[in-house]
Amino acid sequence: MAQEDIFKKLVAHCKEYGYVFQSSEIYDGLGAVYDYGQNGVELKNNIKKYWWDSMVKLHENVVGLDSAIFMHPTIWKASGHVDAFNDPLVDNKDSKKRYRADVLIEDQIAKFETKIEKEVTKGAKRFGEAFDKAEFLKTNPRVLANQEKIDVLHKRFSDALNANDLEEIRQIIIDYKIVCPISGTCNWTDVRQFNLMFSTEMGSTAEGANTVYLRPETAQGIFVNYLNVQKTGRMKLPFGIAQIGKAFRNEIVARQFIFRMREFEQMEMQFFVKPGTELDWFDKWKETRMSWHKALGFGDDNYRFHVHEKLAHYANAAVDVEYRFPFGFKEVEGIHSRTDFDLKQHQEYSGKKIQYFDPELGESYVPYVVETSIGVDRMFLQVMAASYCEEELEGANGKKDTRVVLRLPAPLAPTKLAVMPLVKKDGLPDKAREIIDSMKFDFNCQYDEKDSIGKRYRRQDAVGTPFCVTVDHQTLEDNTVTIRHRDTMEQERIEISKLKHMIADEISFTKLYSKLK
Ligand code: GAP
């Protein structure tokens, strides 16, 4: 099945099983804003727990913060967002559709990458076990030709971005015959810059009102609290401040479901270090964050680093962690070495000294910062995309059957256990509820008595529940139940008294944490 079709199915699945709904749906929706349903909110909370614990609980020099969304407007002047938080946009004159010029060019690069991947797949098929991927990438003429196209386009694109040359960006789009997917034409307007911040008014009267911004990143709330946390926590460098919270961006092109939203959530950590050590910490955090992603077990080959073409005005190094989504490798997280830019700017604009007294050196300086920044919603989409699976099964009497299963890592699954009485009588429902009552303080359980057992299994597979327990007549005699494992569909008979321990072990976050570097 084409990857785009899989993605469409995933979006439909998210709605059908209470994961994600379009915001304001009964009013025909609001562009690029989404609500999380009964299962979505649980998965989202579990993702946040995984991140928060791995940052704050597992690092004794990282502490948390929850700063307000509204902040003094000068903060956004100091940070550079008022003047430079822009995206280059271009309109197609025929379809009247608006695009991000940089995304159009990145998509063109992705097309060349896809051609290389296709050659690799063909090569692997042709040479079988003898296939040497690294050698093939170095020597196959078609791969090399496409790689050269990528390199040439990369260079031209990054030069144009670095020089902020909007005419050249438009020329690239025209030279590469990049067309509007709606009109199919290359009839483009000039490329313009567009500021992404939402603003509103604070104060009761229009005259006294102050323009305030909805924060476009949570990071600035951390920077302006650096002194508060450092002093009250008696923190010594290096140390980090972690925060999870909403951010808002008036994205020009909001596409791909919850990949690019106008209201979203970020999990950011700013790590304050001694100047000159920032690139070592940058490398360390790169490794730490990649290990966090890979520990989920979605396949190491599906992740890669992407080094930034254009460094933001505040950075001296930056990479993205990219995941292979159904629509190609895309950014999930950014890791940035932000120098002392932000703290220095806030020092200048606020007139307050923002420094650290280093007892070893006996001098004060403005710390440097390494940031890790990941979108909760984008991580949610990544987890869903990686978990969604359509399987062919050998059905009864050798007939082909299929199932949709969400192979969510058990610690992240919204419901851990579904308890099902085989029939709705003979005291089986009461026994099932007794089991739930003995577990519900430890993990999310669901009681499910409607439809045949087979249908109930399919429903729980589709929602990603790792365990189903069936209570039958034998249960009443010997206190055993059948437990079914979602991924293998294997079933085993187990004593009720052993159930909690077994499930707790499988769903435990501790197992995930122990895999982290
Ligand atoms: N403080 C740095 C910062 O905000 P960013 O690369 O603009 O950096 C970090 O954003 C992460 O936030 C991205 O890697 C992505 O996961 C998420 N993100 C950014 N814009 C988003 C949007 N419009 N919708 C959903 N997630 C977004």
Side-chain angles (χ1 to χ4, degrees), residues 216-217 219 249 251 258-261 264 266 268 314 331-334 336 338 371 373-375 378:
E217 61 172 13
R249 295 183 189 178
E251 296 286 357
I258 55 172
F259 184 83
R260 202 175 298 287
M261 302 156 88
F264 58 100
Q266 285 186 315
E268 298 202 295
Y314 51 74
E331 171 187 349
V332 180
E333 169 158 11
H336 314 120
R338 287 179 81 131
E371 161 186 80
S373 173
I374 175 169
R378 203 168 285 182

Side-chain angles (χ1 to χ4, degrees), residues 133-169:
K133 186 175 169 188
E135 190 59 23
F136 186 82
L137 288 174
K138 270 197 276 171
T139 53
N140 180 277
R142 277 184 295 274
V143 168
L144 293 178
N146 277 304
Q147 189 56 51
E148 193 180 342
K149 285 183 192 165
I150 292 173
D151 295 342
V152 170
L153 179 51
H154 252 150
K155 165 101 180 62
R156 199 172 155 195
F157 176 42
S158 69
D159 286 351
L161 281 177
N162 283 322
N164 202 15
D165 186 345
L166 300 181
E167 256 176 53
E168 169 67 352
I169 290 178

Side-chain angles (χ1 to χ4, degrees), residues 214-229:
L214 296 188
R215 65 181 178 199
E217 61 172 13
T218 59
Q220 296 303 323
I222 296 180
F223 289 124
V224 298
N225 275 294
Y226 158 79
L227 280 181
N228 285 336
V229 175

Side-chain angles (χ1 to χ4, degrees), residues 17 23 34 39 58 96 118 129 150 219 240 276 279 298 304 321 342 358 429 431 496 500 507:
Y17 288 92
S23 157
Y34 291 89
N39 288 314
L58 303 190
K96 311 273 185 274
K118 279 191 181 151
E129 286 202 346
I150 292 173
L279 292 180
F298 293 131
R304 70 180 187 191
V321 175
D342 301 86
D358 189 326
K431 190 71 187 171
I496 293 175
K500 193 193 282 185
I507 64 164

